[in-house]
Amino acid sequence: MYGNTGKVLEVDLSSGQFDVTEPEEDTYKKYIGGAGLAAKLLYDRGNLDADALDPEALLIFATGPLADTGMYGTSRLSVGARSPLTGIWGQASCGGNFGPELKRCGYDGIIFKGKSPQPVYLLLGDDSAELVSAVDLWGKDTYQICDELKAKYSKQHKVLAVGPASENGVLYGSICNDYGHHFGRAGMGTVMASKNLKAIVAQGSKRVEFADPEGLKELWQNTVRPRIDDNVWCQGIGADGTAALMEIKLMEGECPVKNWTVGDWMEGGKTLSGPMLTDTILTDRHGCRGCAVKCKRVVEVKEGPYKIEEGPGPELETIGCFGTLLLNPSMESVAKANEICNRLGMDTITCGSTFAWAMDCYDHGVMKPEDYEGIKLEWGDIDTVIELLPKIAAREGKLGELLSRGSRKASEEIGGGSDEFLTDTKGLEAPIHDPRSIWGTGVAYAMSVRGACHVSNNMFELEWGGVEYPEIGLDILMETMSAEHKTDAAIKTTDIGCINNSLCWCAFTTLGVPLPLVVQCVNMAAGYDYDLDSMMKAGGRIWYLQRCLCHIWGVTAEDDRLGKRIMTPTPDGMIAGMVPDMDRMLKEWYEMRDLGPDGKPSKKVLEEYDLGYLADKI
């Protein structure tokens, strides 16, 4: 086997026993690796009747076949489980350095089941695994855990850790990878902590064999790397981070403001942009393992109420969710909120979006200070938000407890028309790319398997004109606020998203790599013998599998929608009066994907994708 070790470690936390499963080579080829492999393993080996936080539920980490090639962006890692936030398929991915280290320990993935009687962490070496007591680590934040475990072992050891928010059952707990990288979405940290698993520590020296190592090296050095180095988008995020285009996108109405109710806020565009971060609080630029793009920001706020020591800075989504969504123009305060969330282990997108929903509820009298310890959330009041973050992580007080559940579950509890202010799909709050500005992103959000998601596809980048795929017919200049050509494009970019999340190859760096080159890289690394059609079909297969897992857990056609706030037009800005034509695009999606009125795939299309075994399950 090439590109993969052929081994997945199984850890029964209840008994402390280890086993190794060896997926068939055909399984790797059909499901690629990463998120695809995790979904297949969960379906085959999991108890699908188990609730997300039940000990019997599986938590699966999986790396991709390009890990340890040294190519930019291939050090990512995926994790999958049933989400405690949404109740359906949940997955998250993370950059950094853990993916190649897991492969060097001799494993393509780890399956966790059961619950340890006491807190533990998993220590991995070359073909070795040990559960170590973490009783003294329980309750400590993610940065402390990284510090202590690296001090105990070595700086070269790689660490995944959960924080107090996950331990306390906040439904959107994250997993931290060596300080600045996070599996943020869908509550994967909460699943991990529910098993009394505090951390995973790894260092290995094994190397996998690639199908054509010399050919891959030559292709990378002479063709692929120069294309990434020369890519304008990669250069931009290297210079000013993922928020490089924040000011332009706010001007275009593509970045939501005041819980998606304002279409034009130029103050925020000036103070919350990537160039502004560069000019004010940036101290360094970091990249994931082996990546020269260096989109990660290192920041420091030296004085004032938002003072923080030098450390990981906020990404675009965090800047939007704690900045524009809250009508907060202060970059320093966003950096402070980011650091607190990182340390406590909370997804910044769900957390910031839940605050925005709550501010809307207060603004409309649905929530009142007298009902929540006298606390009132007002637009722009970032200081109260920052004060509440530790209370959310501790689920302390009535308001802290409510906001710890995410916006949809909180809305279901308080009622009163609060669902009018929601921005979620399937319980997962939307990231900050507004479908009223780029309509194809609307149907991509609605049909994303885990809920509203911008990394399950790269439709928004296609609509911006930042990428094209002529080999699959996506070289058409699209009108952004139109449904024309959007559904076909959204389906194809969703398949590409499934490929990226299963290869564990960064969606930024692949913007500079045409699809035929991706095929060559995969074949030279893993020997999958793909052509473009078979690689795209593997992406589609993964989407259908994950979609069927969601149906098993209760998803219906009614869940394929955007939040009501997103489907309410703004009165101002370039998107004034606009909402995407969801009826048309959803109808087209169902026809193109061969979904029935209930949203379920037909038996015919499942058999087409070698998924006939799912037909009787849904």
Side-chain angles (χ1 to χ4, degrees):
M1 186 176 291
Y2 298 112
N4 299 293
T5 69
K7 296 179 179 180
V8 174
L9 179 68
E10 294 193 66
V11 184
D12 186 333
L13 290 162
S14 296
S15 66
Q17 298 299 305
F18 297 95
D19 199 359
V20 173
T21 185
E22 299 183 1
E24 294 181 2
E25 193 164 352
D26 189 55
T27 299
Y28 284 94
K29 182 175 179 179
K30 284 185 174 178
Y31 300 95
I32 301 177
L37 180 61
K40 177 61 172 168
L41 290 170
L42 188 144
Y43 178 83
D44 285 346
R45 307 181 75 81
N47 176 358
L48 300 184
D49 293 327
D51 291 333
L53 301 182
D54 190 302
E56 289 303 307
L58 299 186
L59 175 72
I60 303 176
F61 292 86
T63 189
L66 299 177
D68 216 22
T69 60
M71 297 194 301
Y72 301 166
T74 59
S75 68
R76 297 186 71 82
L77 182 69
S78 288
V79 60
R82 189 174 185 181
S83 166
L85 180 68
T86 65
I88 59 174
W89 170 252
Q91 72 182 47
S93 65
C94 183
N97 48 46
F98 203 92
E101 207 65 37
L102 178 59
K103 193 71 68 80
R104 287 191 176 192
C105 289
Y107 306 109
D108 300 315
I110 314 171
I111 301 172
F112 291 100
K113 65 180 178 180
K115 179 177 182 178
S116 174
Q118 64 176 9
V120 294
Y121 63 86
L122 176 66
L123 178 63
L124 296 174
D126 288 356
D127 292 321
S128 69
E130 177 187 0
L131 290 173
V132 183
S133 174
V135 171
D136 60 331
L137 301 177
W138 203 253
K140 294 183 178 180
D141 74 40
T142 61
Y143 289 12
Q144 291 172 315
I145 299 303
C146 288
D147 286 343
E148 292 191 23
L149 290 174
K150 286 176 178 289
K152 182 175 182 178
Y153 296 106
S154 76
K155 290 185 178 179
Q156 286 69 46
H157 278 73
K158 311 302 183 276
V159 178
L160 303 183
V162 296
S166 293
E167 296 172 0
N168 294 327
V170 174
L171 296 183
Y172 45 91
S174 64
I175 304 170
C176 177
N177 173 11
D178 280 8
Y179 311 102
H181 312 276
H182 285 258
F183 300 89
R185 309 237 63 193
M188 297 295 98
T190 309
V191 179
M192 183 167 160
S194 75
K195 298 181 176 299
N196 270 342
L197 180 63
K198 181 64 176 178
I200 309 170
V201 186
Q203 187 185 31
S205 61
K206 297 172 69 68
R207 302 301 292 265
V208 296
E209 185 178 353
F210 296 113
D212 183 359
E214 290 305 314
L216 182 63
K217 181 179 180 180
E218 182 179 353
L219 182 69
W220 165 246
Q221 291 180 342
N222 297 332
T223 305
V224 179
R225 185 173 65 185
R227 293 190 70 99
I228 299 173
D229 289 339
D230 293 341
N231 182 265
V232 173
W233 173 251
C234 291
Q235 291 172 352
I237 61 173
D240 288 312
T242 52
L245 298 179
M246 171 70 86
E247 187 169 7
I248 295 171
K249 294 307 167 185
L250 272 169
M251 186 184 305
E252 294 175 349
E254 202 266 345
C255 182
V257 177
K258 197 180 179 185
N259 199 34
W260 302 71
T261 63
V262 171
D264 186 8
W265 189 45
M266 294 315 298
E267 178 187 1
K270 290 181 171 60
T271 61
L272 295 171
S273 69
M276 179 59 73
L277 186 154
T278 300
D279 291 343
T280 55
I281 62 174
L282 184 75
T283 60
D284 202 355
R285 299 172 173 86
H286 282 181
C288 297
R289 184 169 177 159
C291 185
V293 174
K294 294 188 176 181
C295 69
K296 298 288 183 179
R297 306 294 91 180
V298 181
V299 302
E300 180 182 17
V301 179
K302 294 183 178 180
E303 57 187 8
Y306 310 123
K307 181 178 179 179
I308 57 172
E309 296 179 358
E310 186 177 60
E315 304 275 0
L316 167 66
E317 304 298 330
T318 305
I319 294 170
C321 290
F322 281 98
T324 65
L325 284 189
L326 307 185
L327 216 62
N328 165 40
S330 166
M331 180 68 82
E332 290 81 3
S333 69
V334 171
K336 180 70 172 180
N338 179 70
E339 186 202 38
I340 295 171
C341 286
N342 280 357
R343 285 182 174 274
L344 296 175
M346 294 192 290
D347 173 27
T348 55
I349 298 178
T350 287
C351 190
S353 297
T354 301
F355 271 113
W357 165 83
M359 287 180 179
D360 231 344
C361 289
Y362 275 102
D363 206 22
H364 288 82
V366 177
M367 293 174 65
K368 299 177 181 179
E370 55 266 31
D371 296 328
Y372 297 97
E373 300 103 11
I375 300 170
K376 184 175 183 181
L377 288 169
E378 297 183 292
W379 299 113
D381 182 6
I382 191 65
D383 293 338
T384 299
V385 169
I386 288 173
E387 289 174 11
L388 281 169
L389 289 174
K391 294 183 178 181
I392 292 173
R395 295 173 63 187
E396 177 186 322
K398 189 175 179 181
L399 188 56
E401 169 67 29
L402 180 72
L403 300 183
S404 75
R405 301 175 193 176
S407 60
R408 173 150 289 278
K409 282 187 166 60
S411 176
E412 289 170 354
E413 177 177 330
I414 69 171
S418 60
D419 63 321
E420 296 292 328
F421 316 132
L422 290 172
T423 61
D424 71 297
T425 295
K426 302 180 179 73
L428 190 68
E429 292 81 2
I432 60 159
H433 304 278
D434 196 326
R436 293 170 297 193
S437 171
I438 40 178
W439 285 17
T441 297
V443 74
Y445 280 180
M447 298 307 298
S448 170
V449 173
R450 72 175 183 178
C453 175
H454 65 299
V455 294
S456 296
N457 60 83
N458 59 344
M459 186 63 195
F460 72 97
E461 290 155 331
L462 184 75
E463 290 186 279
W464 287 357
V467 65
E468 62 178 28
Y469 302 103
E471 302 84 4
I472 56 173
L474 298 184
D475 55 352
I476 304 166
L477 185 61
M478 298 181 184
E479 184 181 343
T480 54
M481 287 180 272
S482 165
E484 194 70 22
H485 306 300
K486 296 299 178 66
T487 308
D488 175 63
I491 288 172
K492 289 173 178 175
T493 54
T494 293
D495 289 348
I496 291 169
C498 288
I499 292 165
N500 287 340
N501 284 318
S502 299
L503 289 175
C504 297
W505 196 351
C506 174
F508 291 154
T509 54
T510 52
L511 291 176
V513 186
L515 291 174
L517 283 181
V518 175
V519 172
Q520 283 185 264
C521 290
V522 174
N523 288 338
M524 287 179 172
Y528 285 173
D529 195 28
Y530 283 153
D531 57 20
L532 181 55
D533 287 343
S534 58
M535 186 180 76
M536 290 296 294
K537 189 167 186 177
R541 180 180 299 114
I542 292 163
W543 183 85
Y544 279 112
L545 169 58
Q546 294 172 349
R547 173 82 177 182
C548 287
L549 282 170
C550 290
H551 287 309
I552 290 169
W553 288 323
V555 163
T556 70
E558 295 299 314
D559 298 301
D560 296 332
R561 48 137 189 87
L562 298 178
K564 291 182 180 179
R565 259 291 178 243
I566 299 177
M567 289 301 291
T568 303
T570 67
D572 58 349
M574 292 181 67
I575 60 170
M578 290 289 184
V579 292
D581 188 349
M582 293 300 294
D583 288 342
R584 171 182 168 176
M585 291 188 290
L586 284 172
K587 183 175 182 292
E588 291 173 344
W589 186 294
Y590 273 44
E591 290 172 353
M592 292 178 185
R593 285 290 205 194
D594 198 4
L595 308 183
D598 56 2
K600 296 179 180 179
S602 71
K603 183 175 182 179
K604 177 185 175 184
V605 77
L606 290 177
E607 289 175 344
E608 246 176 68
Y609 280 84
D610 302 312
L611 296 169
Y613 61 87
L614 291 168
D616 293 336
K617 297 291 186 180
I618 60 171

